[in-house]
Amino acid sequence: MFIETADTPNPSTLKFLPGRSVMGDAGTIDFIDADGVAGRSPLADVLFAIPGVSRVFLGHDFVSVTKADDADWSEVRPVILTTLADHLVAGLPVVTEGAGVTEDKIAPEDEEIVKQIKELLDTRVRPAVAGDGGDIVFRGYHEGVVRLTMQGACSGCPSSRATLKHGVENMLRHYVPEVVSVEQVED
């Protein structure tokens, strides 16, 4: 299996592209540390076992890995490539059933607004963010405030707050007048 790598705007994060589905239509999942895996992802478990791996993000067709500050990509990258290829070729599960991000409960009167917000995120924001090795996930909406989580390379990127406030918030406010602001939610 040939796996390509790509840089991301976050120098501590590399994007690994195996040329096949990783999460498929199951969404994305971000493991901010090894403690957060807790049996939810066999793939994340083996990646966190590699010295120097500090964060793992599983996307539709890619895996983003963040290294610890004291780790060197020249040492960590080949081990990640081998581990990732071995896991995927063996056909082992990527995540366990039911693993993922949960959303806040949506009030019935907000369902149409939330539908518009999710459609804009899915069509205009998520593809661009995925290109940088991350994702932006809807977490909730209440009284004009949209709650989003930046994942993968985007969560630690120095420009993520600006992207969220100036890019995403402005776009959502333009197309969905009920949106007052966007708030970043940490996992």
Side-chain angles (χ1 to χ4, degrees):
M1 168 178 268
F2 178 73
I3 300 175
E4 292 182 60
T5 60
D7 291 333
T8 71
N10 181 347
S12 295
T13 303
L14 278 178
K15 184 176 176 181
F16 295 83
L17 300 138
R20 57 164 275 194
S21 175
V22 175
M23 289 288 289
D25 294 332
T28 61
I29 192 164
D30 192 17
F31 297 103
I32 60 172
D33 57 34
D35 295 336
V37 178
R40 294 169 46 204
S41 171
L43 178 56
D45 278 331
V46 296
L47 291 172
F48 275 117
I50 300 168
V53 170
S54 66
R55 186 177 199 140
V56 174
F57 174 76
L58 306 174
H60 169 71
D61 61 353
F62 67 92
V63 176
S64 290
V65 177
T66 303
K67 69 173 187 64
D69 291 337
D70 60 346
D72 186 330
W73 276 124
S74 65
E75 296 171 8
V76 178
R77 182 180 170 272
V79 180
I80 293 170
L81 285 167
T82 301
T83 302
L84 185 56
D86 290 349
H87 190 91
L88 295 174
V89 167
L92 298 171
V94 174
V95 294
T96 56
E97 196 171 321
V101 174
T102 57
E103 293 180 7
D104 298 341
K105 187 170 173 71
I106 304 300
E109 63 271 15
D110 293 335
E111 287 178 6
E112 189 57 37
I113 295 168
V114 168
K115 182 178 174 185
Q116 292 174 17
I117 292 167
K118 285 182 175 182
E119 183 177 333
L120 286 166
L121 292 173
D122 288 346
T123 59
R124 294 180 180 250
V125 179
R126 293 182 77 201
V129 174
D132 286 339
D135 198 8
I136 187 166
V137 179
F138 177 84
R139 296 294 292 271
Y141 173 83
H142 182 68
E143 295 182 356
V145 178
V146 179
R147 296 168 34 87
L148 302 171
T149 298
M150 301 293 279
Q151 296 183 330
C154 298
S155 64
C157 179
S159 62
S160 67
R161 290 240 184 247
T163 298
L164 198 63
K165 291 307 264 181
H166 300 297
V168 177
E169 183 176 290
N170 287 344
M171 186 220 24
L172 289 176
R173 289 176 68 190
H174 175 78
Y175 289 105
V176 186
E178 294 85 356
V179 172
V180 176
S181 69
V182 171
E183 172 183 292
Q184 183 165 333
V185 179
E186 301 298 327
D187 277 334

